[in-house]
């Protein structure tokens, strides 16, 4: 997957390249399980916009300048469970782990020891 910003002056004009894989299938008539993993490579413009510290940000925040380079910014893995209650209603449950890498992980704007991030979510859906 490739994403390129085209927002111009107010945007970062950066790009992301994501490499992904996944597999899944039905365990029984009601339960489906899927596993996926991906890694995201970010351009320097993207990294500066989201993880850098510019001269204007140094004094108010008392931080040092930080000019990150392009590179892999994270790896992610998740597991998704879909449970079909009947022909129309279903529940979706997701557990995701993300690890910041490279300059994204050492950026001064990242909370210390926050390289590992966990997301848990669920939703209820209805098929018409």
């Amino acid at each position: 997957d490739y994403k390129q910003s085209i927002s111009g002056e107010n945007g970062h004009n950066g790009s992301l390249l994501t490499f992904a894989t996944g597999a899944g299938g039905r365990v029984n008539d009601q339960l489906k399980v899927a596993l996926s993993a991906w890694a995201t490579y970010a351009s320097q413009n993207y990294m500066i916009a989201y993880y850098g510290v510019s001269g204007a940000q140094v004094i108010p925040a008392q931080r040092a300048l930080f000019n990150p380079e392009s590179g892999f910014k994270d790896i992610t893995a998740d597991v998704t469970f879909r449970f079909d209650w009947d022909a129309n209603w279903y529940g979706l449950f997701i557990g995701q782990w993300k690890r910041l890498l490279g300059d994204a992980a050492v950026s001064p704007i990242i909370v210390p020891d926050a390289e590992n991030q966990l997301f848990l979510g669920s939703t209820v859906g209805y098929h018409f």
Side-chain angles (χ1 to χ4, degrees):
D1 179 44
Y2 178 77
K3 296 176 184 170
Q4 173 66 51
S5 173
I6 57 170
S7 57
E9 185 178 318
N10 294 324
H12 53 71
N13 290 323
S15 58
L16 294 173
L17 180 60
T18 303
F19 302 91
T21 187
R26 287 219 172 261
V27 175
N28 58 37
D29 288 343
Q30 291 181 301
L31 180 63
K32 181 178 179 181
V33 179
L35 300 170
S36 58
W38 59 95
T40 305
Y41 185 91
S43 70
Q44 186 173 23
N45 286 346
Y46 180 95
M47 293 294 286
I48 289 170
Y50 288 97
Y51 298 101
V53 178
S54 69
Q57 297 167 320
V58 169
I59 295 171
Q62 297 182 354
R63 294 188 179 115
L65 285 171
F66 184 69
N67 191 25
E69 298 289 326
S70 61
F72 281 96
K73 71 176 193 77
D74 60 47
I75 56 172
T76 307
D78 69 20
V79 59
T80 303
F81 299 92
R82 178 185 164 137
F83 187 79
D84 295 326
W85 289 306
D86 61 27
N88 299 101
W89 290 97
Y90 66 92
L92 195 63
F93 308 93
I94 301 168
Q96 182 183 85
W97 166 78
K98 180 181 285 191
R99 170 82 180 179
L100 294 176
L101 302 173
D103 284 351
V106 298
S107 171
I109 64 170
I110 299 298
V111 174
D113 299 321
E115 300 88 16
N116 290 298
Q117 302 171 359
L118 182 63
F119 170 80
L120 300 172
S122 65
T123 188
V124 173
Y126 183 85
H127 287 283
F128 290 94

